[in-house]
Amino acid sequence: MASLAAQPVSATPSKAAPSAPASGASDMVLNINGRDQHLKVDVRTSLLDALREHLHLTGAKKGCDQGQCGACTVHVDGKRELSCLTLAVAVQGRKINTIEGLAGADGGLHPMQQAFIDHDGFQCGYCTPGQIMSAVACVHEGNARTDADIREYMSGNLCRCGAYPNIVAAIKQARSSMERG
């Protein structure tokens, strides 16, 4: 067996190391709550940071910043998405809805928002925007038929205050309004 030192040296240059990911500011347009928002952010900026730091939409919360708690949940093309794990640049051309855009055009509360109030589905309120956004998706995606279905679907949203029974009750109340409307 030959040692590495005894191996001949190749005359051809070795492949260059892969370059670092692209970075730097980029102009982008995000459709948020039905309106195009023009911004210039680093291509590595998460959707959560674009919303909170650049557009001052602070409803989505930075809980764990690792996709574990659900506090940053928004809807992208009608499906729930963790904005802390989504690059802003990746959702250009898609419809993004945040808790700020959930209420009706007349300013009236969405049935899910009203149900959370009616059933005290929040305590400290920190997780509430993400809980509500996930709850709306739960109903829209047909996962709110039973208490067990609701608990399973909502398991990605953590509430440190333990308002889970109230959240389930709120979803059940809002479900009937949302299915009629």
Side-chain angles (χ1 to χ4, degrees):
M1 178 149 97
S3 73
L4 290 176
Q7 298 296 321
V9 176
S10 172
T12 59
S14 63
K15 290 183 181 177
S19 61
S23 65
S26 175
D27 289 317
M28 64 183 73
V29 179
L30 299 178
N31 185 285
I32 300 173
N33 301 325
R35 296 184 58 194
D36 284 344
Q37 302 287 337
H38 299 266
L39 61 158
K40 185 175 192 130
V41 297
D42 189 288
V43 295
R44 299 167 292 180
T45 301
S46 70
L47 176 56
L48 177 61
D49 287 340
L51 292 169
R52 291 184 61 80
E53 306 300 326
H54 299 278
L55 298 172
H56 309 291
L57 295 171
T58 57
K61 302 296 188 247
K62 187 176 278 199
C64 65
D65 211 21
Q66 298 176 12
Q68 301 288 318
C69 72
C72 67
T73 303
V74 298
H75 295 169
V76 177
D77 291 337
K79 303 280 187 201
R80 69 179 176 161
E81 194 149 334
L82 299 171
S83 62
C84 73
L85 297 181
T86 304
L87 291 176
V89 70
V91 291
Q92 290 185 99
R94 298 173 70 192
K95 293 186 184 306
I96 302 156
N97 289 313
T98 68
I99 192 74
E100 290 91 349
L102 196 57
D106 63 353
L109 293 178
H110 184 279
M112 191 65 71
Q113 292 171 309
Q114 186 61 55
F116 266 66
I117 292 168
D118 293 347
H119 289 277
D120 198 23
F122 56 90
Q123 287 181 21
C124 78
Y126 195 82
C127 72
T128 304
Q131 294 278 1
I132 290 173
M133 295 304 285
S134 285
V136 168
C138 178
V139 172
H140 282 305
E141 293 174 18
N143 294 306
R145 296 287 163 230
T146 67
D147 288 7
D149 289 344
I150 292 168
R151 284 191 298 272
E152 175 65 26
Y153 188 88
M154 296 295 293
S155 65
N157 288 79
L158 303 180
C159 173
R160 294 185 76 176
C161 300
Y164 298 115
N166 302 6
I167 291 169
V168 171
I171 293 170
K172 288 167 48 178
Q173 174 185 313
R175 177 186 66 213
S176 59
S177 298
M178 291 170 62
E179 288 173 347
R180 284 192 311 260

